Amino acid sequence: MTNELIINISKREINIAYTEEKKLLEIHKEKSNIQFTVGDIFLAKVKKVMNGLNAAFVDVGYKKDAFLHYFDLGPQFKSQEKFLNSVLNSKDSFPKLQNFKTLPDINKHGKISEVLKGGQTVLVQIAKEPISTKGPRLSSEISIAGRNLVLIPFSNAVSISKKIVSEEERKRLKRLIQSIKPDNFGVIVRTVAKNRRVAVLDEELRALIMKWEQMLLNLKGITPPAVVMGELNKPAALLRDIMNSSFTNIHVDNESVYTQIKNYIAEIAPEKEKIVKFYDKRTPIFDHFGISKQIKALFGKTVNMENGAYLIIEQTEALTVIDVNSGNRSKRAADQETNAVEVNMISAEEIARQLRLRDIGGIIVVDFIDMHSNENRQKVYQYMKDQMDSDRTKHSILPLSKFGLMQITRQRVRPATDIETKETCPVCDGTGEISPSILFIDEVENHLQYMIGKYKGKIYLHVHPYIDGYLKCRLFSKAFKWRMKYKRTIKIVPTITYSFLEYHFYDKEGEELKI
């Protein structure tokens, strides 16, 4: 199987596409200046304690106060508070956590006012990014993720991933971690740690503890709210979580990020270092690998599937509704039940893909085509579970009801990816009227002449592929005549995401030249 990661870096945004056999499964879009990513650790101040909610609102520097519930404090919150105060108040050195005497756990059914008060300084971690009108969701149970292990300060528990099913391997890993971990540090062993040697796990554990101690040093002299340890950048974090032996290529179009990723791969999987490749062609990387076309086809209200079936996806604040439609398939099957089962099975596969692709969270209700047989309903339910097995996000699936409805809950930690696929015509601005198309090339040349007079160096003209074909056709093409006429290199780049009469000028750095 071919698994590829295609990474597009711009000044404003980071776009990451994950494909299997050239089929788009995940798309991650993130602003380059985002400040509140899941995993970031902040030194923050409690703004207000809400007894009715058994929670507190905390200032982490976001425009809306973040939310910290009592259940997210963690059982060892009192110990963390005492240790944090000792670090903040120490003038020189502070105690090592492994030598620290912990306090008893807080009451599992206690009240927020018993442990927090307004103005108190707390160490918190982003558990959910800001979504819609809500601020970030926080946790005081700090965790530091590595490739094979997750470090949990103020705990002594060792947990093994449920996806490691071999009882012998689970016991081996638990014995191994218990023998090498210091006191007051808990560890979660991730799935990829299966069959790892003790030297590898020991080295990573030491590195995670060093990150924790470096974070404590960062606490000195800072004024809350402030970030004290940031999560890895998005490409590296994604690699850490999904990287496996089946990865074949990682393509990056930014030299700096390419170097960072190559160094990171060299650390976590040296044998895979060669799969990182720098993309330096002029055609946009998402166009070259067919990602742009798939995005246009897969996002939007209607998603077409094979043989005429399609999905209608409606997202609201409270839940997402997915309607399965057979379209023109209804005439092909021998009977209605057979047709319903076939369409529902195809839909289950596409729905599992869409949930990952759009990162849809919360409550999802799927209206499958009605099936009379309990056996068929169970068959579709089991197939849906199988398709969702590869989804790393926590989820729960309920069997189909007698009305053909399936309920799915999927953990939401960041806003769903929403890409607008409908376009306002850049030529008529939505009016429905354009200037005579016979004059279009003259208009492009007029603007090109202006660009040549204003900017020095090579000029890149991005156009729709059909216009590109027209400009380059024949020996003495329009593009050739322009080069001869203006004595300048003019590179014409076909861009499939453009509408028919859309065009833009760029310099060699990829920055758009304004007309």
Side-chain angles (χ1 to χ4, degrees):
M1 182 180 285
T2 304
N3 289 0
E4 293 186 305
L5 217 58
I6 296 105
I7 303 171
N8 165 236
I9 309 290
S10 67
K11 287 187 176 179
R12 299 183 186 88
E13 203 170 47
I14 299 170
N15 298 302
I16 305 168
Y18 172 55
T19 67
E20 287 183 5
E21 298 295 340
K22 307 296 182 183
K23 190 175 181 181
L24 182 62
L25 287 186
E26 293 182 27
I27 182 79
H28 301 267
K29 300 175 81 69
E30 188 175 282
K31 299 294 182 186
S32 297
N33 60 351
I34 193 166
Q35 294 177 292
F36 301 93
T37 301
V38 171
D40 286 351
I41 300 174
F42 283 78
L43 187 66
K45 269 200 181 297
V46 176
K47 288 288 288 293
K48 193 185 297 181
V49 174
M50 305 293 289
N51 288 318
L53 297 172
N54 204 19
F57 287 102
V58 180
D59 180 15
V60 293
Y62 187 65
K63 58 187 177 183
K64 293 254 184 183
D65 287 337
F67 185 78
L68 177 62
H69 196 273
Y70 183 84
F71 293 149
D72 294 321
L73 292 175
Q76 281 287 313
F77 180 76
K78 281 288 187 184
S79 297
Q80 188 201 95
E81 180 190 21
K82 180 182 174 184
F83 186 79
L84 177 63
N85 287 331
S86 70
V87 171
L88 294 175
N89 296 325
S90 64
K91 292 182 180 178
D92 298 315
S93 60
F94 45 83
K96 295 277 188 182
L97 182 57
Q98 47 266 51
N99 302 325
F100 180 73
K101 187 174 181 180
T102 58
L103 300 175
D105 291 359
I106 61 173
N107 182 0
K108 188 184 292 186
H109 305 290
K111 299 293 181 184
I112 193 80
S113 55
E114 297 170 359
V115 290
L116 286 181
K117 60 182 184 296
Q120 182 175 337
T121 301
V122 288
L123 193 65
V124 291
Q125 189 166 30
I126 304 290
K128 287 186 181 180
E129 293 175 12
I131 298 174
S132 185
T133 58
K134 301 173 184 175
R137 177 81 182 249
L138 304 177
S139 171
S140 279
E141 202 164 10
I142 305 299
S143 63
I144 303 172
R147 171 73 177 140
N148 301 289
L149 308 172
V150 179
L151 186 70
I152 314 287
F154 303 100
S155 171
N156 274 302
V158 175
S159 305
I160 312 295
S161 167
K162 291 179 181 177
K163 291 184 178 180
I164 300 177
V165 293
S166 166
E167 196 59 36
E168 185 180 340
E169 178 63 9
R170 293 175 67 86
K171 287 178 180 177
R172 183 190 79 87
L173 287 168
K174 192 159 191 173
R175 278 198 312 270
L176 192 158
I177 297 300
Q178 285 174 334
S179 68
I180 62 175
K181 81 169 191 66
D183 287 341
N184 296 332
F185 285 105
V187 175
I188 298 172
V189 181
R190 307 182 75 171
T191 310
V192 291
K194 182 180 177 181
N195 299 324
R196 289 275 194 250
R197 293 180 294 109
V198 62
V200 174
L201 299 179
D202 184 54
E203 184 180 357
E204 182 169 309
L205 183 60
R206 290 173 185 275
L208 292 175
I209 292 171
M210 282 181 65
K211 283 183 74 173
W212 161 257
E213 291 177 346
Q214 182 58 51
M215 186 202 73
L216 297 179
L217 291 172
N218 294 341
L219 292 170
K220 307 291 285 184
I222 67 170
T223 303
V227 62
V228 290
M229 184 163 69
E231 174 63 295
L232 291 168
N233 59 55
K234 190 69 175 182
L238 194 63
L239 283 171
R240 180 194 65 201
D241 294 339
I242 70 173
M243 180 74 181
N244 57 53
S245 58
S246 66
F247 257 76
T248 50
N249 290 301
I250 299 169
H251 301 277
V252 193
D253 65 355
N254 179 281
E255 199 162 3
S256 171
V257 176
Y258 161 76
T259 304
Q260 291 173 24
I261 290 176
K262 192 159 188 176
N263 292 339
Y264 182 69
I265 293 288
E267 285 181 25
I268 66 170
E271 71 283 359
K272 305 290 284 184
E273 187 179 352
K274 291 182 180 177
I275 69 173
V276 187
K277 297 172 182 176
F278 177 53
Y279 178 85
D280 58 355
K281 297 181 176 64
R282 288 304 305 181
T283 305
I285 189 169
F286 273 20
D287 289 2
H288 180 80
F289 289 100
I291 303 301
S292 299
K293 187 175 181 180
Q294 290 192 63
I295 288 173
K296 290 288 184 184
L298 293 169
F299 283 85
K301 183 178 175 179
T302 303
V303 178
N304 293 310
M305 298 179 293
E306 60 185 76
N307 297 329
Y310 63 95
L311 303 175
I312 301 292
I313 302 177
E314 295 272 12
Q315 289 181 260
T316 70
E317 184 74 19
L319 67 137
T320 299
V321 180
I322 302 176
D323 184 32
V324 176
N325 293 274
S326 61
N328 58 16
R329 274 189 62 97
S330 55
K331 299 176 183 178
R332 303 185 185 195
D335 61 83
Q336 191 275 335
E337 183 80 0
T338 304
N339 178 68
V341 173
E342 288 179 1
V343 173
N344 287 340
M345 297 287 272
I346 294 168
S347 300
E349 184 176 345
E350 184 59 38
I351 288 165
R353 179 190 184 191
Q354 288 288 330
L355 296 185
R356 288 177 66 184
L357 190 61
R358 303 182 188 218
D359 202 9
I360 297 173
I363 301 170
I364 300 121
V365 178
V366 183
D367 182 11
F368 283 105
I369 298 172
D370 289 343
M371 295 170 290
H372 301 296
S373 164
N374 286 331
E375 184 181 344
N376 286 334
R377 283 200 288 267
Q378 180 62 28
K379 182 180 177 182
V380 171
Y381 167 63
Q382 187 58 51
Y383 189 68
M384 187 75 202
K385 287 181 69 176
D386 293 343
Q387 293 299 308
M388 292 286 286
D389 275 348
S390 58
D391 192 342
R392 301 185 311 279
T393 302
K394 290 180 182 176
H395 59 271
S396 176
I397 306 171
L398 296 182
L400 278 80
S401 71
K402 64 180 180 179
F403 301 113
L405 300 178
M406 178 183 286
Q407 296 175 63
I408 303 171
T409 59
R410 190 172 182 273
Q411 187 180 28
R412 174 158 48 187
V413 296
R414 55 181 60 88
T417 303
D418 185 21
I419 299 174
E420 184 57 61
T421 55
K422 291 184 178 178
E423 302 170 350
T424 300
C425 174
V427 182
C428 71
D429 289 327
T431 63
E433 296 179 351
I434 63 173
S435 56
S437 56
I438 196 171
L439 302 178
F440 174 70
I441 297 300
D442 294 336
E443 177 191 322
V444 174
E445 184 173 0
N446 287 339
H447 285 139
L448 175 63
Q449 193 170 3
Y450 168 77
M451 291 295 172
I452 288 170
K454 187 175 180 181
Y455 300 101
K456 294 181 179 180
K458 189 186 257 189
I459 290 177
Y460 295 85
L461 171 60
H462 288 236
V463 294
H464 187 277
Y466 288 176
I467 302 299
D468 170 74
Y470 172 78
L471 292 173
K472 293 176 181 176
C473 71
R474 296 191 299 271
L475 180 61
F476 294 102
S477 65
K478 203 73 175 172
F480 175 78
K481 290 176 181 178
W482 284 349
R483 282 196 297 273
M484 294 299 101
K485 180 178 179 180
Y486 298 111
K487 308 296 188 219
R488 286 279 289 279
T489 302
I490 301 152
K491 177 73 174 175
I492 300 172
V493 181
T495 308
I496 62 174
T497 54
Y498 282 14
S499 57
F500 187 54
L501 298 182
E502 183 179 0
Y503 63 97
H504 297 279
F505 296 96
Y506 292 85
D507 63 16
K508 65 178 181 179
E509 305 297 331
E511 290 296 312
E512 184 176 356
L513 305 176
K514 298 298 181 183
I515 297 173

